[in-house]
Each structure stands twice: as C-alpha cells, then as structure tokens.
Amino acid sequence: MNNPHSDHIPQEAFDWYDEYAHGKMDRRTFMKKLGGLVALGYSMTVLTSALLPNYALAEQVSFNDEEIKATYQTFDSPDGHSKGQGYLVIPTGLTGKRPVVLVIHENRGLNPYIKDVARRLAKAGFIAFAPDALYPLGGYPGNDDEGRAMQRSMDKEKIQNDFVAAANYLKSHPNSNGKLGAVGFCFGGYIVNYLAAVESTLLNAGVPFYGTPASEALRKNIKAPLVIQLAELDERVNATWPDYERDLKSLGVDYQMHMYPKTNHGFHNDSTGRYDKENAELAWQRTLAFFNEKLV
C-alpha cells in the first residue's frame, strides 16, 4: 500500500471513511470516531494520512510527458447543464483513428488522480476524456470535501445527461475509430453502468470499479461487454452485485467480475491508504487488455 501505516489501521476506520465519503456520516462524526481510536493509542496523523487523499502521490504519468498532449475541451449538453468540460488526453504523433475511453470520477469532481488515469490511458494508446461534473459550478475546487458537497448539491439526472453528452462528444472525435470504452470509479463506476444501460449502442466496453448498477428498469438495455471490478471488503457496493449479476446473466451480457481479496472500496486510488498496489495494477492490466480486445 501507499502508506506503510495503513496495514495497522483497524478495518472499521476504512468503513467509517467510506460512510463519510458517501454522505452517510458527517465530518464531525467521522473525526469523533477517529478520536476514539486515538484514545486507544493510534496516531491521528497516521490515521488521516492513510484515509484522506494526498494527490501528490497519484501522479504516475506527468502532464509534461512527451508522449501525450492534454487539453481542456468543452462540449454541448442540452439535456444536462447546457455545457460541459473535460480533460482530453491524446497520444502525441496521433495518426489515423484510435479507440476512445471516457474516464469518470468519483463523487467529488475531476481530481488529480482521475486526470492521471486519463494520462495513463493515453500512454497506452487510447484517446481519453475525463469530464468534470462540477464544471457548471466552476469545476473541481481543489479539495475533496468541498467537491463532494458541490456534487451532492447538483441535479443527479442532469449530471447523468452530461456524461451521456460527453460520451457522444468523445465518440465523435475526429480521430475516434467509433468505438467507445468507459472506466469509472465509485460514482464513476455507477455512471459506467448507467451508460451501458441508458442506451444499448452507446458503449462498446465498460469497466466499472466498485460502482452500483443502473436502475433495474434500465438494465434490460445493456448489450455492451463489461468487466466488473469489486473490492472484497466493500460491503455497501457488493450487496448490490447478486441482483445485478442475475440480470446480466438473464440478458446474456458478456461480463466478467473480479473480486479483489482483502481490498477496500477505492483500492485503485493511489492517493490514499486504501490503495492496494498489487491488486490495483492487476485490475488496471485487466482493464487495458479488455479495452484492447473490444475497442482496437
């Protein structure tokens, strides 16, 4: 893991953080619970450094990397917030048509970790686009707490429509080969499932990391192949999997599910102590292999 102390932190601390990060616990309660662990001898500095993101740790590909070019691009979203914006990363020296991949952030806007994921995809030869749901409110504010509050204040249906618009924008990019993949994390995992369900022909391949499924009424539309990435200790999301799997099977959807042992929700995010390097790298290699199989 990123943080050498994270192995010694009780599992309940990770569970509390998950509740806090998803609006089921306020910050005061979260910090009070951590204070209870301090009373048992844990260091608050160790606890917060393991649980809260440090985005300086989350750069695997520099924005100055000569093999990629990153820019911000706007797109029309008439059924959403009118206009959207995202982080577009393309391989330099791009010639001909390439597969395109939408990268979808967690419930707090386009943070540095998600931008780095887009750069990783471009390094692997894909055209990647990471929209910022918070663009109508001025964009990701620079910290997760504020970003989370901003996203919670927005109309969920309009956000969903913004991501549909972003998907169509990316799919029609001049260098797109017409095949669209999507990868998302947490809320972004839900959006990948939603994009697969809202319109049968929109996605050609989807990889939701620890995301809940689209509504049951929409699932009948799913035709895109999926690779479902789940964390063994993520009880909240995993509780939704049996019903989702039943529907995918009944529809004959081409899917794989990977359950990563002893991992927490967010295990791919290398900016926190939830990061599990070995499983994150395995999940990422499976993601790239899947996109290369279905999109190239």
Side-chain angles (χ1 to χ4, degrees):
M1 291 193 178
N2 263 14
N3 192 306
H5 305 293
S6 58
D7 291 337
H8 308 294
I9 293 174
Q11 179 59 37
E12 56 260 41
F14 291 100
D15 297 338
W16 297 334
Y17 177 77
D18 189 62
E19 290 182 51
Y20 163 61
H22 295 92
K24 301 181 186 303
M25 181 187 298
D26 61 30
R27 184 177 179 84
R28 182 178 179 182
T29 304
F30 172 58
M31 296 306 292
K32 185 177 179 181
K33 285 180 174 287
L34 290 186
L37 292 179
V38 171
L40 295 175
Y42 291 92
S43 159
M44 181 62 82
T45 300
V46 169
L47 290 169
T48 56
S49 66
L51 297 171
L52 302 176
N54 176 358
Y55 288 123
L57 300 173
E59 185 176 82
Q60 295 187 22
V61 179
S62 169
F63 64 86
N64 289 319
D65 192 299
E66 293 182 354
E67 294 183 4
I68 61 169
K69 180 182 179 182
T71 58
Y72 290 95
Q73 301 293 331
T74 58
F75 57 92
D76 292 326
S77 181
D79 296 322
H81 289 93
S82 180
K83 286 279 187 184
Q85 186 185 79
Y87 185 68
L88 180 71
V89 195
I90 63 174
T92 52
L94 178 63
T95 57
K97 305 293 186 180
R98 294 282 181 94
V100 294
V101 178
L102 197 68
V103 184
I104 308 167
H105 60 67
E106 310 110 319
N107 63 340
R108 62 210 71 166
L110 181 58
N111 60 46
Y113 153 64
I114 296 297
K115 290 163 75 173
D116 193 66
V117 171
R119 294 194 294 268
R120 295 174 208 174
L121 281 161
K123 280 278 283 189
F126 299 94
I127 297 171
F129 188 54
D132 187 354
L134 303 184
Y135 175 70
L137 299 182
Y140 176 71
N143 72 81
D144 281 14
D145 273 356
E146 191 178 341
R148 193 179 296 114
M150 289 168 66
Q151 189 161 325
R152 196 179 300 135
S153 76
M154 299 173 73
D155 183 296
K156 182 179 178 181
E157 186 173 348
K158 284 189 175 183
I159 290 178
Q160 291 175 167
N161 289 339
D162 285 340
F163 280 106
V164 172
N168 283 311
Y169 163 81
L170 180 59
K171 202 169 186 177
S172 62
H173 187 279
N175 291 106
S176 165
N177 69 357
K179 292 184 178 181
L180 173 69
V183 59
F185 306 86
C186 182
F187 164 80
Y190 159 75
I191 292 291
V192 173
N193 286 323
Y194 175 78
L195 294 175
V198 71
E199 188 181 322
S200 294
T201 59
L202 185 58
L203 279 191
N204 298 96
V207 184
F209 276 74
Y210 26 85
T212 54
S215 68
E216 201 166 345
L218 287 177
R219 293 179 210 168
K220 65 182 182 295
N221 300 320
I222 299 175
K223 288 191 167 55
L226 301 171
V227 168
I228 314 283
Q229 314 270 34
L230 298 177
E232 184 181 38
L233 303 177
D234 187 2
E235 294 181 3
R236 179 181 58 85
V237 171
N238 293 349
T240 68
W241 172 242
D243 284 347
Y244 192 23
E245 182 177 38
R246 179 201 64 215
D247 289 344
L248 294 176
K249 282 182 174 177
S250 70
L251 292 163
V253 174
D254 173 8
Y255 79 92
Q256 304 166 48
M257 187 278 280
H258 300 289
M259 182 73 74
Y260 295 88
K262 299 180 182 178
T263 58
N264 282 285
H265 182 96
F267 73 86
H268 184 267
N269 186 334
D270 51 355
S271 71
T272 81
R274 296 171 296 159
Y275 177 55
D276 184 309
K277 187 174 189 293
E278 182 178 347
N279 282 300
E281 290 181 354
L282 175 59
W284 189 243
Q285 289 308 311
R286 285 170 168 166
T287 299
L288 293 179
F290 178 62
F291 284 154
N292 276 308
E293 176 191 352
K294 301 298 183 183
L295 303 177
V296 174

